[in-house]
Amino acid sequence: APPAGTHGTSSIPLAPAPDAQVWDVSNFSLVDGHLVLVGREEEASCRSRNRTGSSTSESTNLHPAGGRRDPDLVPDERCSRGAGKSTKSETSPTSQFSNVKGLLWKRLRERKGRGAPKVETPAATVPDGESRVPSRSGSRESLLPPPSAALLDLTGDNVIVRPVHGSIVGEKFCFQIITGEGSRSFGCTSLAERDRWIENLRRTVQPNKDNCERLELALSLWVYEARDLPPRRRLRCQLHLDGTLFARTTAKVAGPDGELFWGELFQLAALPPARALTLTLCRDDHPSQPVASITVPLTELAAARQPLERWYPLSCPGGGERVPSVRVRGRYREVRVLPIVRYKELAEFITFHYRELCARLEPAIAVRHKEELAGALVHVLQSTGKAKSFLIDLGVAELDRFDDREALIFRENTLATKAIDE
């Protein structure tokens, strides 16, 4: 199987545009390899956002028509429950979802059987320019949105599901689905809900995912500060991978001495293969006109075991006496993931012998290695259902070790404290 980050040659952008529509994922359901809009009209399912900042807070106007969202529900259950509320039926959620699924496919078949499809107008307007109001008369045409928004086929080739940084679309928990027909962004209420949707969609796209070897690419980048900038200018720092915008900082005003501090962390996962990272300083009122930029080869950030921190001088289009520079700290990781069966013996060893393993490694490794090891152990034991026991055993061992020095318990750089942080 090809690596997860690769895809065929296409003109589809890998990152959504800053003004791209964000669909409310609570109105969609995953049915037989298709992401289908259920329960609401297309106009109500598209989120309305004020995208002036790098991120916005969740507010009540994101989910109109009284749809209280339950983040603890899995996607299918949440959609079925919403459908059940609207009909006031007394049947179980399972039967409700079955009814919605059957009715949905019936309407799709009826729509396809009406002959040659007519050209759909945009969702927001009709030909005479008036606003389109969702009809409540019960006509079939108003019950189902256009196929472009109502049905998204995930069974084709080169389908990519990836998280989207909140600074691009203007909200925190979003993901993007890229197909051969285009790309679409969806918003969630929490990080856990977004990760659950991404995992379910990826397993729909590639059911044999755990049995295939793949390459996962990720970038962690701290954008700290800049100096020698044009004073009193409102500037952003944009992050480009091979020319495609993936994230940007908030817009801040440089001081009279030309210094500007951001201090923002960017965690970009599930990246496509790329060669270079470009940091570009742009004015907030003219984002297309760069003030200064620098290109950093990703091999430089991947060569160091620990994140690399340094000042990078920026090149200005017009030049000048003072050369602006930006301080960043980043690490680029290329993780080769083997089929899951190859990890079986390792997972069994860690599950049954983590006490002995931690006792031997605790005095022998450096602090930076303890953090990495503790994170890996927590992830492995979480997947085997032993993370709770692991933390309890490490905590008890910590209490025994500092029995007479209570002030140091959980205050030193030990595997226990690093595991709890993770």
Side-chain angles (χ1 to χ4, degrees):
T6 60
H7 53 84
T9 57
S10 174
S11 59
I12 302 302
L14 287 175
D19 57 348
Q21 292 181 339
V22 179
W23 301 90
D24 191 345
V25 78
S26 65
N27 298 327
F28 288 80
S29 180
L30 191 58
V31 182
D32 296 338
H34 296 75
L35 194 62
V36 187
L37 177 63
V38 294
R40 295 180 186 173
E41 291 83 0
E42 181 181 3
E43 293 86 347
S45 299
C46 183
R47 296 185 174 209
S48 176
R49 275 288 194 262
N50 179 12
R51 305 180 189 278
T52 56
S54 64
S55 61
T56 57
S57 59
E58 300 291 337
S59 56
T60 55
N61 62 355
L62 306 184
H63 321 295
R68 185 181 69 85
R69 304 176 66 176
D70 187 353
D72 295 328
L73 295 176
V74 297
D76 290 348
E77 292 175 347
R78 183 172 59 251
C79 292
S80 64
R81 180 170 294 188
K85 287 182 180 179
S86 62
T87 58
K88 305 292 184 181
S89 63
E90 300 296 331
T91 57
S92 63
T94 304
S95 61
Q96 291 173 13
F97 178 66
S98 300
N99 294 337
V100 171
K101 177 181 175 181
L103 180 62
L104 183 64
W105 288 119
K106 179 181 178 181
R107 290 174 180 172
L108 288 175
R109 287 194 296 268
E110 290 176 354
R111 191 180 185 87
K112 293 179 180 179
R114 280 201 289 263
K118 57 184 179 180
V119 178
E120 294 287 344
T121 58
T125 59
V126 290
D128 57 359
E130 297 179 357
S131 299
R132 176 179 174 182
V133 180
S135 173
R136 299 182 181 274
S137 62
S139 64
R140 290 180 178 177
E141 193 64 31
S142 63
L143 288 177
L144 196 64
S148 59
L151 184 64
L152 190 61
D153 187 6
L154 304 177
T155 59
D157 297 332
N158 300 327
V159 177
I160 300 174
V161 183
R162 55 177 297 272
V164 176
H165 197 268
S167 62
I168 299 298
V169 294
E171 57 180 284
K172 294 181 180 180
F173 313 112
C174 292
F175 64 91
Q176 181 187 20
I177 300 178
I178 304 174
T179 64
E181 300 178 353
S183 64
R184 217 164 275 119
S185 300
F186 298 87
C188 305
T189 57
S190 65
L191 180 63
E193 183 186 22
R194 188 196 72 175
D195 292 344
R196 183 167 60 248
W197 268 99
I198 290 178
E199 181 64 21
N200 291 338
L201 292 172
R202 285 178 177 173
R203 293 191 179 278
T204 300
V205 173
Q206 190 178 11
N208 202 30
K209 171 187 172 184
D210 288 338
N211 299 323
C212 300
E213 182 178 334
R214 63 186 187 275
L215 187 66
E216 294 191 354
L217 309 175
L219 174 66
S220 299
L221 191 73
W222 275 101
V223 179
Y224 288 118
E225 57 182 328
R227 62 190 179 190
D228 297 330
L229 297 175
R232 298 181 178 86
R233 291 286 183 87
R234 191 173 178 86
L235 301 173
R236 294 178 184 267
C237 182
Q238 297 183 349
L239 281 63
H240 297 259
L241 292 176
D242 285 357
T244 301
L245 177 64
F246 273 81
R248 57 183 180 175
T249 64
T250 54
K252 293 187 178 182
V253 179
D257 54 355
E259 294 185 356
L260 178 58
F261 181 82
W262 287 289
E264 297 184 23
L265 173 63
F266 298 91
Q267 300 277 10
L268 306 179
L271 295 175
R275 296 182 179 180
L277 166 68
T278 301
L279 303 173
T280 305
L281 293 181
C282 299
R283 293 176 54 180
D284 191 32
D285 53 349
H286 295 88
S288 60
Q289 300 178 3
V291 175
S293 64
I294 181 65
T295 299
V296 182
L298 289 176
T299 53
E300 179 179 328
L301 299 178
R305 180 73 174 174
Q306 297 300 317
L308 181 64
E309 179 177 345
R310 56 172 294 189
W311 284 93
Y312 288 97
L314 304 174
S315 59
C316 303
E321 296 181 358
R322 297 190 306 174
V323 178
S325 58
V326 61
R327 182 168 69 96
V328 298
R329 179 173 184 261
R331 182 184 180 188
Y332 183 70
R333 290 177 294 173
E334 298 179 351
V335 181
R336 179 168 166 256
V337 183
L338 302 176
I340 195 170
V341 68
R342 302 280 294 275
Y343 299 101
K344 182 180 179 181
E345 293 184 9
L346 175 63
E348 290 178 352
F349 174 80
I350 293 175
T351 302
F352 295 105
H353 302 284
Y354 60 79
R355 297 182 188 87
E356 298 88 342
L357 181 64
C358 292
R360 295 290 185 91
L361 293 178
E362 180 82 55
I365 61 177
V367 174
R368 62 179 183 273
H369 296 148
K370 289 180 182 179
E371 184 174 0
E372 191 170 0
L373 174 63
L377 291 176
V378 168
H379 281 257
V380 172
L381 294 171
Q382 179 74 15
S383 65
T384 61
K386 289 290 186 179
K388 180 179 179 180
S389 301
F390 171 66
L391 293 178
I392 291 175
D393 291 338
L394 286 187
V396 171
E398 188 89 350
L399 294 174
D400 293 339
R401 185 163 52 251
F402 298 108
D403 190 21
D404 55 343
R405 295 176 296 166
E406 294 183 357
L408 296 178
I409 295 176
F410 300 122
R411 292 180 180 272
E412 290 192 342
N413 292 318
T414 61
L415 284 174
T417 57
K418 299 301 182 183
I420 291 173
D421 290 341
E422 182 68 24

